[in-house]
Amino acid sequence: MPSERIGGRELHYEDSGGDGIPLVLLHGFPLRGALWDPQVEALGGRFRIIVPDLPGFGRSEGPEEPERWRVGAYAEVVVELLDRLEIEEAVVGGLSMGGYVAFSLLRRYPTRVLGLVLADTQPGADSIEARRTREAQQEQVRAEGIAALRETLYQRLLAPKNLGDPMLREKVLGLMEHPPAAYLAALEAMKHRPDSTPELSRIQAPTLIVVGEDDVITPPAIAKAMERSIPGARLVVLEGAGHLSNLEEPAAFNEALATFLGEF
Ligand code: MLT
């Protein structure tokens, strides 16, 4: 896994290389780049897929001051990575928190975004209640580490039929293993993220929206509302998938992604 020193920290990423259209895939919380292994393995030969471990997650070094971290800071790191790789424009895809980062990147650098893939994500900001929950989660991580929160979060990530799958459980819990600072920074960033809803109708980049039909965190109703607001957006609802739709139903996800990328 190569790395670049960005903002004074090591940032690890995968780059499938090649001349294909560049696609940056941004993982959700509290995961890491390897979330996207099924996409890199299946499509990395046709498209140039770049997958960072966002700061603090996986092998990437974390923000020194988690309590000051913001979603925009993740977006700045991703753009700096594109600069280092000499990629001027890319399709930007994000799952859940990765989608929040994609919205931020689009707001800051619209000319760098060739297209958008919004997977199991939402445009809105946190409600007061959601912020309180995140604060309680931060308290829990500070007091006792990540183990209990990781289990709580895990229970909501997969479709009910997948929760009992021992291989998936081991894989996903492994993807969720990070130092407490990664959790604290991401929770802080998500708590403060702006509402992107008013911007949806102005999005000019071709957009693919994907959602698992059993996603309880960002359910299909949210994806359908985004489809109605983003001009020309296409929505694919994946049967049998929960919040981690790319991992739970990789073949159907990859088909939707390949069809979308094939049109550039
Ligand atoms: C994610 O999957 O990134 C998180 O569930 C997003 C969130 O908590 O808002």
Side-chain angles (χ1 to χ4, degrees), residues 1-13 15 53 59-61 77 80-86:
M1 203 179 198
S3 74
E4 288 282 339
R5 204 158 178 83
I6 294 180
R9 296 173 225 101
E10 285 303 311
L11 185 90
H12 287 263
Y13 64 96
D15 179 357
D53 280 348
R59 295 173 63 184
S60 290
E61 288 175 354
V77 165
E80 179 74 34
L81 177 62
L82 292 179
D83 287 345
R84 301 283 175 90
L85 299 176
E86 298 183 358

Side-chain angles (χ1 to χ4, degrees), residues 15 50 80 85 100-101 106 126 130 145 203 207 210 214 243 257 262:
D15 179 357
I50 293 133
E80 179 74 34
L85 299 176
Y100 310 159
V101 179
L106 181 68
D126 269 5
I203 293 178
T207 301
V210 186
D214 295 325
H243 190 57
L257 185 59

Side-chain angles (χ1 to χ4, degrees), residues 21-24 82 86-92 110-114:
I21 183 161
L23 167 69
V24 188
L82 292 179
E86 298 183 358
I87 295 173
E88 187 48 40
E89 293 179 308
V91 176
V92 179
T111 60
R112 310 289 298 262
V113 180
L114 261 180

Side-chain angles (χ1 to χ4, degrees), residues 155-258:
Q155 293 298 329
R156 289 170 54 81
L157 287 178
L158 304 181
K161 77 168 178 53
N162 292 331
L163 273 175
D165 178 329
M167 300 254 289
L168 257 182
R169 179 177 165 86
E170 195 186 331
K171 169 144 183 108
V172 174
L173 288 180
L175 293 174
M176 298 169 82
E177 182 70 52
H178 315 283
Y183 277 70
L184 294 174
L187 288 165
E188 192 66 25
M190 291 192 288
K191 220 160 72 180
H192 291 283
R193 75 182 189 281
D195 182 8
S196 300
T197 313
E199 291 154 32
L200 297 181
S201 63
R202 296 197 294 272
I203 293 178
Q204 288 175 7
T207 301
L208 170 68
I209 302 167
V210 186
V211 69
E213 71 169 347
D214 295 325
D215 183 344
V216 292
I217 299 177
T218 49
I222 292 179
K224 286 178 187 156
M226 281 199 293
E227 183 198 19
R228 285 193 296 274
S229 300
I230 302 176
R234 184 182 315 167
L235 170 65
V236 176
V237 181
L238 297 186
E239 239 177 78
H243 190 57
L244 302 188
S245 61
N246 72 304
L247 197 66
E248 294 175 82
E249 289 297 331
F253 190 101
N254 290 345
E255 191 187 326
L257 185 59

Side-chain angles (χ1 to χ4, degrees), residues 28-29 96-97 100 122 134 190 217 243:
F29 168 79
S96 201
M97 183 182 80
Y100 310 159
Q122 57 190 342
R134 297 209 201 271
M190 291 192 288
I217 299 177
H243 190 57

